[in-house]
Amino acid sequence: MALLDELSGYEFEDLMVDVFRHLGYENVRQSARTADEGRDVLMEEVVDDRRRAVVVECKHTDAVGRPVVQKLHSAVATYDYDGPRRGMVATTGRFTGPAREYASDLGDGDGSVELLDGADLREIGEEIGMDLYNGRIEILRAEALWPTHPTAGDHAPLFEVADEVENLAPASVPDPETVLELEPTVTVSARTSATFETSVGVVHSVDETTDLVIRADRGSPRVVAAELQSLVSDRTAPRIDLEEYERTLENGFDDLERSRFGRTETAYKEWSVDKFRAIHTTTVGYTGDNNVDYEKTCTPNQSDVSILSIDPVYLPRVRSRLSLGEYDYRYEYYAAGPSWTETTNDLHRCVHCETGGARGHGNVTYCSNCGSINCDDHVRTERLEDEPVCTGCAVTERFALSRKYFYDEQNLEAFREEYAEMALHEKAMENVPLVVGTALAAVFLLVVLAAAVGL
């Protein structure tokens, strides 16, 4: 549970920023830490379709008396905001009787002051799923993106890919062995607003809201691959409560692995600020008053980046192993309900030469004789049964100078007997290119002879 007493004053303010964001307040930000005017956290709320400012005083102390509440009430009254506003005092300790009495006299409407003590904060922490330890916030997010297709079944992506393999009947594809890994991610949304001026005036400005998706496991924070950014940051992607669905997931997959978040929300927030600054850094050219061309690298300051929200969620990674005949195939992807991003696909790769690999790039054909998947260069037609067979497992022999492919020695022997009883012209047709070539050569020879004798 929360060891709030171990927090420093600034750490307590950081904590409250995260808490208020989780509670649904908007535009949550800290006031400057210098020249404090009794306003530590500023934010907004919407009540009865009206937007209202909330001015918060954070007090890391054993007891808060009436003067603190009275001072905040004055700060609320003078706060420069075009609309209704109220105050709030949050403390790790308790409020004195006079402090509570003063706040009660103010009522609960505009201009009021709400009081949150240490016990209230602990209850709020449990309510929003934030566990506090050693004065820090550990992310114990219980939400994950939905790891399976909501209507097509647990292994829908793999079966869809397998359906694209020629000669592989859907009914013959067994359920794969599948491991579900839940990888922690944090989506940080921030607004970067900055204006850059020189002696000639404004040369560049930026005012953008950007999402940044961060891997949030025990390793160092890092931005996820570009193909996963939209998968994670999509606010409409279906989610599940892990506490409610964990048993369902355990029953649907052969193994379930779940990592813990490696840092606090505040740490990810601070780490991402420099990333947002780098994203919005640009070099612009301008002409000075002396008609000389200059370049200026415009990098937003830390104060130009306002963190709007931090959204921790588990990203499902599905690792499947499908056994077909003598071969095992890996298929891996990141999932978000009906959407997924493929990372490994052995089902579209020839076992002999590694040709293919990506969906839609070249045909691959399944050999039911050995279970291999093959490109066009490594698949042939079985002579006796007229079905695909790969060059790796086929038994071969030449007939009429043409190499024939068979599933096994038994089929080869059966064709030997059939070939021995064929008429000569039937045997010749076992090598159609040779027959056609011979016929063309004969015609050509006749034409030459005819020309020679003057016919």
Side-chain angles (χ1 to χ4, degrees):
M1 272 308 296
L3 300 178
L4 295 175
D5 292 341
E6 296 185 9
L7 293 168
S8 69
Y10 289 155
E11 287 173 336
F12 180 53
E13 291 177 22
D14 290 339
L15 181 150
M16 292 312 302
V17 167
D18 291 334
V19 168
F20 290 135
R21 286 197 180 106
H22 276 283
L23 288 173
Y25 290 95
E26 301 178 5
N27 198 19
V28 183
R29 68 238 184 241
Q30 289 172 278
S31 61
R33 289 180 175 175
T34 59
D36 185 278
E37 299 177 351
R39 297 189 292 265
D40 293 318
V41 178
L42 304 174
M43 57 192 186
E44 297 173 5
E45 62 184 354
V46 178
V47 179
D48 297 330
D49 296 325
R50 289 196 314 162
R51 184 168 291 275
R52 179 166 64 182
V54 184
V55 182
V56 184
E57 172 79 0
C58 299
K59 301 300 293 184
H60 181 47
T61 184
D62 291 337
V64 175
R66 175 189 174 109
V68 172
V69 181
Q70 191 171 3
K71 177 184 176 184
L72 177 63
H73 182 225
S74 298
V76 170
T78 59
Y79 179 43
D80 184 15
Y81 183 80
D82 186 18
R85 48 199 180 274
R86 71 178 181 93
M88 182 187 298
V89 180
T91 180
T92 54
R94 61 181 181 83
F95 293 98
T96 65
R100 292 188 178 279
E101 183 179 352
Y102 185 90
S104 178
D105 290 342
L106 295 176
D108 57 5
D110 295 340
S112 63
V113 174
E114 181 182 0
L115 305 182
L116 296 177
D117 61 17
D120 295 326
L121 297 182
R122 287 175 170 83
E123 292 180 5
I124 290 172
E126 294 178 356
E127 174 187 337
I128 62 179
M130 298 172 69
D131 187 26
L132 310 182
Y133 67 100
N134 295 329
R136 303 172 66 208
I137 301 177
E138 181 182 9
I139 302 173
L140 294 179
R141 191 64 169 180
E143 271 193 340
L145 297 175
W146 198 288
T148 61
H149 195 295
T151 59
D154 292 351
H155 306 299
L158 183 145
F159 289 138
E160 181 174 320
V161 170
D163 189 52
E164 298 173 0
V165 179
E166 295 182 15
N167 197 49
L168 182 57
S172 67
V173 180
D175 284 341
E177 294 181 12
T178 305
V179 175
L180 172 61
E181 294 181 3
L182 297 176
E183 299 183 356
T185 68
V186 173
T187 301
V188 183
S189 180
R191 177 183 177 185
T192 304
S193 180
T195 301
F196 302 90
E197 298 183 62
T198 68
S199 60
V200 298
V202 175
V203 295
H204 178 66
S205 64
V206 58
D207 188 6
E208 295 184 18
T209 298
T210 313
D211 286 340
L212 191 66
V213 182
I214 304 169
R215 286 197 181 276
D217 53 24
R218 294 296 184 183
S220 299
R222 55 209 183 277
V223 179
V224 304
E227 60 269 22
L228 301 181
Q229 289 274 346
S230 59
L231 199 67
V232 180
S233 61
D234 182 4
R235 306 293 182 181
T236 65
R239 298 189 177 194
I240 57 173
D241 186 309
L242 288 177
E243 302 304 323
E244 180 179 354
Y245 282 92
E246 191 160 15
R247 181 59 60 86
T248 301
L249 296 178
E250 289 176 347
N251 293 335
F253 295 90
D254 295 289
D255 196 11
L256 174 62
E257 300 174 4
R258 176 178 172 184
S259 301
R260 296 181 66 171
F261 286 83
R263 301 191 179 195
T264 67
E265 286 198 2
T266 297
Y268 289 117
K269 176 184 68 176
E270 293 175 347
W271 182 87
S272 66
V273 167
D274 284 340
K275 295 298 179 182
F276 285 115
R277 295 175 65 205
I279 289 171
H280 294 290
T281 293
T282 187
T283 299
V284 298
Y286 67 95
T287 302
D289 294 329
N290 55 0
N291 290 325
V292 175
D293 292 335
Y294 296 93
E295 286 189 347
K296 178 179 177 64
T297 299
C298 304
T299 301
N301 296 318
Q302 288 188 345
S303 58
D304 296 328
V305 180
S306 300
I307 303 299
L308 303 178
S309 64
I310 299 179
D311 180 27
V313 68
Y314 281 100
L315 172 63
R317 181 187 182 191
V318 181
R319 297 190 291 110
S320 297
R321 183 169 66 88
L322 179 65
S323 295
L324 296 174
E326 302 171 9
Y327 294 86
D328 289 336
Y329 300 93
R330 294 176 304 146
Y331 187 69
E332 300 179 6
Y333 57 92
Y334 286 96
S339 302
W340 74 91
T341 297
E342 179 182 290
T343 58
T344 301
N345 182 4
D346 288 348
L347 289 167
H348 282 186
R349 183 178 294 115
C350 177
V351 301
H352 301 290
C353 66
E354 298 293 315
T355 297
R359 297 182 63 185
H361 292 274
N363 295 327
V364 287
T365 303
Y366 175 66
C367 173
S368 59
N369 192 50
C370 66
S372 64
I373 290 176
N374 311 272
C375 68
D376 291 342
D377 290 339
H378 290 93
V379 67
R380 298 291 186 270
T381 299
E382 210 272 352
R383 175 60 185 84
L384 203 62
E385 300 186 26
D386 199 31
E387 293 290 337
V389 62
C390 76
T391 58
C393 73
V395 176
T396 67
E397 188 170 313
R398 289 186 178 275
F399 293 88
L401 301 179
S402 175
R403 186 175 297 280
K404 303 299 178 182
Y405 295 82
F406 303 91
Y407 283 143
D408 49 32
E409 291 288 349
Q410 184 177 350
N411 277 19
L412 171 59
E413 182 58 33
F415 184 74
R416 282 178 183 149
E417 297 175 2
E418 181 180 320
Y419 184 79
E421 297 179 3
M422 287 182 181
L424 184 61
H425 72 278
E426 291 177 327
K427 291 181 178 179
M429 292 305 296
E430 289 300 318
N431 193 340
V432 174
L434 179 62
V435 171
V436 172
T438 301
L440 290 175
V443 170
F444 177 75
L445 182 59
L446 289 174
V447 171
V448 172
L449 291 175
V453 298
L455 295 178

